[in-house]
Amino acid sequence: MQVYLNQKETEVPEGTTVKGLLDRQQIAAEGTAIAIENKLVPKSEWDNRTLAPGDKITLIRATFGG
C-alpha cells in the first residue's frame, strides 16, 4: 500500500500502524511528532492508528544543539 511520508511515496504493508511505520523507517519515537492529513496524532494513539492508502504523513524531528 502506498502512503506519503514527508511528500515521498512510501510502500508499507496493509495494516501498518504509525508505530510500525516508525519502526520500518528506523526512526526513534523520542523527539518525533507525527501528523496525518495535517492533524497531529498523539503518541498515545501510535500503536493503534492504522494507516490508510494514500495517507499524507508529516514527520517532524526535534533537533538539539547550538
Side-chain angles (χ1 to χ4, degrees):
M1 152 178 97
Q2 300 289 328
V3 297
Y4 296 88
L5 178 58
N6 290 349
Q7 301 178 348
K8 181 180 175 188
E9 194 171 307
T10 304
E11 182 75 27
V12 297
E14 294 281 334
T16 298
T17 63
V18 171
K19 177 70 168 102
L21 174 66
L22 292 177
D23 291 345
R24 288 178 63 81
Q25 298 292 318
Q26 299 179 335
I27 299 169
E30 187 173 323
T32 300
I34 298 283
I36 299 177
E37 306 298 337
N38 295 320
K39 292 187 179 188
L40 186 64
V41 179
K43 279 188 180 180
S44 61
E45 296 178 14
W46 288 7
D47 286 329
N48 300 317
R49 173 57 163 88
T50 303
L51 302 177
D55 271 349
K56 293 177 179 68
I57 304 151
T58 304
L59 182 141
I60 301 167
R61 294 275 302 150
T63 57
F64 302 96

